[in-house]
Amino acid sequence: MQEFELKYGCNPNQKPSRIYMRDGSDLPITVLNGRPGYINFLDALNSWQLVKELKEATGLPAAASFKHVSPAGVALGKPLTDLEKQIYFVEPDQELTPVACAYIRARGADRLCSYGDWAAVSDICDATTAQYLKAEVSDGIIAPGYTDEALEILKTKKKGNYNVVQIDPDYVPADQEYKDVFGITFEQGHNFFEINEALLDNIVSQNKDLSQDAKHDLLISLITLKYTQSNSVCYVKDGMTIGVGAGQQSRIHCTRLAGDKANNWWMRQHPKVLGLQFVDDIRRPARDNAIDVYTSDEYEDVLAEGAWQQTFKVKPEVLTAEEKKEWIAKMDNVSVGSDAFFPFGDNIERARKSGVRYVAEPGGSIRDDNVIETADKYDMVLCFTGMRLFHH
């Protein structure tokens, strides 16, 4: 297949629209089901690059959940704990494959932002992964292959219109890439830069104790940032992103946004949240939204008389500001990456409030000394990678 005609571009008025290879060769993808759109393919191709590179960097299966050309969540295929099964709505006795674990954790990183996502997995999509994905609101998936059973499951999703794309795992893009903006063509070299553990060798903090798990988490953050709309900052814990701040004009706003998302992920594990008694047959999106509102400052929206009965069997107790502060203070061993240098130590100050112990950023600010000093103040490990990772 040399080209694929699209219904329209970013918006319905942008026609005609298609994807094709400039050199006339065959596309490296095959549409196995559905009819993906312009934005679907942008998400698919960016998310595939991410999971492919993450698998190469760590040796573990990887998955991503993309929305509007940035990841909502990224994760490695580590086994789920009993607590993770509970907060990601997996049956306690369900057996899970590494690929399924990767996607479940990626989806669970930010369930609100993953609503209607594009999924990507680094390995062959199996039936277990497909079965979990079938129950979620999602637009499509890209993978290097699918088992027959997985494909049949996915073909039943969205009344048979779920988008399923297979990509050639050996495909390598051309050295140069092009993009037209306002009728003007931009050309640049493709970003083939390899992110690996060697990028973490320049530890500039006094604390130089960087464990293997922390290295993996920092690699996840950096590879995620490589495919996130800049400016961007990414928080990672235990092999998965827990907060991605994308597309902000100010670095500190990226750090705050991603940190707030990390806090939201952590709040889902609070005993009061785990004890919420939902009405029977509540849909997953309604349940996710209720949890998000309950843990926010807008909790009255779901606890008001006449409102709580629509969601809960028993009216929940208020999760007070003091309880939230105390719970968030228990976060620890979090890693954070930045796609460009932190200009001031205030980013480190904000990261610390979400349990950050490990930091990777390019360095190069005229205030690097202030950033290092702030990291040392909290006994953090700070790596200067020397590599900017802007993505637009």
Side-chain angles (χ1 to χ4, degrees):
M1 181 175 64
Q2 292 184 327
E3 70 172 59
F4 186 86
E5 184 178 353
L6 307 174
K7 190 174 181 180
Y8 51 77
C10 278
N11 299 290
N13 64 296
Q14 293 177 270
K15 301 176 183 178
S17 179
R18 62 175 175 148
I19 60 171
Y20 64 99
M21 304 297 286
R22 280 176 174 262
D23 63 3
S25 62
D26 288 338
L27 288 163
I29 54 96
T30 304
V31 178
L32 302 180
N33 198 66
R35 187 182 178 186
Y38 188 97
I39 296 174
N40 290 148
F41 275 117
L42 288 176
D43 282 338
L45 297 176
N46 277 283
S47 61
W48 165 249
Q49 292 177 84
L50 195 165
V51 298
K52 182 176 187 290
E53 289 187 29
L54 191 52
K55 169 71 179 289
E56 291 171 349
T58 65
L60 297 173
S65 172
F66 257 62
K67 281 288 293 291
H68 294 290
V69 206
S70 281
V74 176
L76 297 176
K78 293 185 176 183
L80 269 66
T81 64
D82 290 341
L83 175 60
E84 286 177 314
K85 287 184 177 181
Q86 182 178 356
I87 64 177
Y88 303 145
F89 310 127
V90 178
E91 294 300 322
D93 57 349
Q94 184 175 348
E95 293 188 11
L96 299 171
T97 61
V99 177
C101 288
Y103 178 69
I104 291 169
R105 300 175 85 228
R107 178 85 186 203
D110 188 342
R111 290 190 58 82
L112 259 69
C113 286
S114 284
Y115 181 85
D117 72 340
W118 185 277
V121 292
S122 62
D123 294 48
I124 297 223
C125 178
D126 53 42
T128 307
T129 307
Q131 196 65 48
Y132 184 85
L133 188 55
K134 181 183 177 182
E136 300 287 5
V137 178
S138 174
D139 276 357
I141 181 174
I142 187 169
Y146 301 82
T147 65
D148 291 342
E149 187 179 0
L151 187 56
E152 288 307 308
I153 293 170
L154 294 173
K155 283 183 175 181
T156 66
K157 188 172 173 62
K158 296 185 72 171
K159 298 180 180 180
N161 295 315
Y162 188 66
N163 296 312
V164 181
V165 176
Q166 181 171 325
I167 188 164
D168 177 1
D170 297 323
Y171 167 71
V172 178
D175 290 345
Q176 295 298 111
E177 56 189 22
Y178 308 84
K179 178 168 69 172
D180 287 354
V181 178
F182 198 50
I184 297 172
T185 299
F186 289 65
E187 178 182 356
Q188 66 174 356
H190 181 79
N191 190 358
F192 285 108
F193 181 75
E194 180 183 350
I195 296 174
N196 53 40
E197 290 186 10
L199 206 61
L200 307 174
D201 287 346
N202 184 23
I203 301 177
V204 296
S205 56
Q206 293 178 7
N207 185 352
K208 303 185 186 299
D209 186 11
L210 191 60
S211 67
Q212 187 60 49
D213 286 343
K215 288 181 180 179
H216 271 184
D217 285 354
L218 288 175
L219 289 179
I220 293 169
S221 72
L222 296 174
I223 294 174
T224 297
L225 293 168
K226 187 179 176 184
Y227 298 100
T228 301
Q229 297 300 296
S230 301
N231 288 321
S232 55
V233 169
C234 179
Y235 290 64
V236 177
K237 181 174 171 62
D238 297 335
M240 63 178 285
T241 65
I242 58 174
V244 180
Q248 303 303 299
Q249 291 78 15
S250 167
R251 181 69 43 186
I252 186 61
H253 287 159
C254 297
T255 306
R256 290 172 184 164
L257 175 59
D260 289 347
K261 289 184 176 184
N263 290 353
N264 289 342
W265 171 82
W266 182 248
M267 287 307 305
R268 291 177 67 91
Q269 303 173 51
H270 191 282
K272 279 191 174 181
V273 177
L274 297 177
L276 293 173
Q277 299 180 48
F278 293 97
V279 296
D280 296 334
D281 301 321
I282 187 171
R283 295 178 63 85
R284 288 190 178 196
R287 179 167 48 184
D288 290 333
N289 186 64
I291 293 172
D292 188 69
V293 176
Y294 172 69
T295 59
S296 75
D297 294 336
E298 310 297 327
Y299 60 86
E300 291 181 354
D301 290 352
V302 292
L303 297 187
E305 193 62 31
W308 71 263
Q309 291 93 336
Q310 300 175 36
T311 304
F312 305 107
K313 293 179 179 179
V314 179
K315 184 177 181 179
E317 294 181 1
V318 172
L319 188 54
T320 67
E322 292 76 15
E323 288 175 313
K324 287 189 276 189
K325 183 177 180 180
E326 180 182 353
W327 184 254
I328 290 171
K330 295 180 180 180
M331 284 184 74
D332 199 7
N333 292 322
V334 177
S335 296
V336 72
S338 175
D339 66 354
F341 62 68
F342 284 145
F344 303 103
D346 57 353
N347 291 276
I348 300 293
E349 293 280 2
R350 174 57 190 89
R352 176 192 66 86
K353 295 176 181 177
S354 294
V356 169
R357 292 279 181 185
Y358 310 98
V359 181
E361 54 116 323
S365 166
I366 60 172
R367 297 296 306 278
D368 275 349
D369 56 345
N370 176 241
V371 176
I372 296 171
E373 180 183 10
T374 309
D376 285 339
K377 176 181 173 183
Y378 299 111
D379 197 31
M380 293 182 183
V381 178
L382 174 60
C383 307
F384 278 177
T385 66
M387 176 55 66
R388 195 176 74 179
L389 296 170
F390 278 175
H391 179 65
H392 292 285

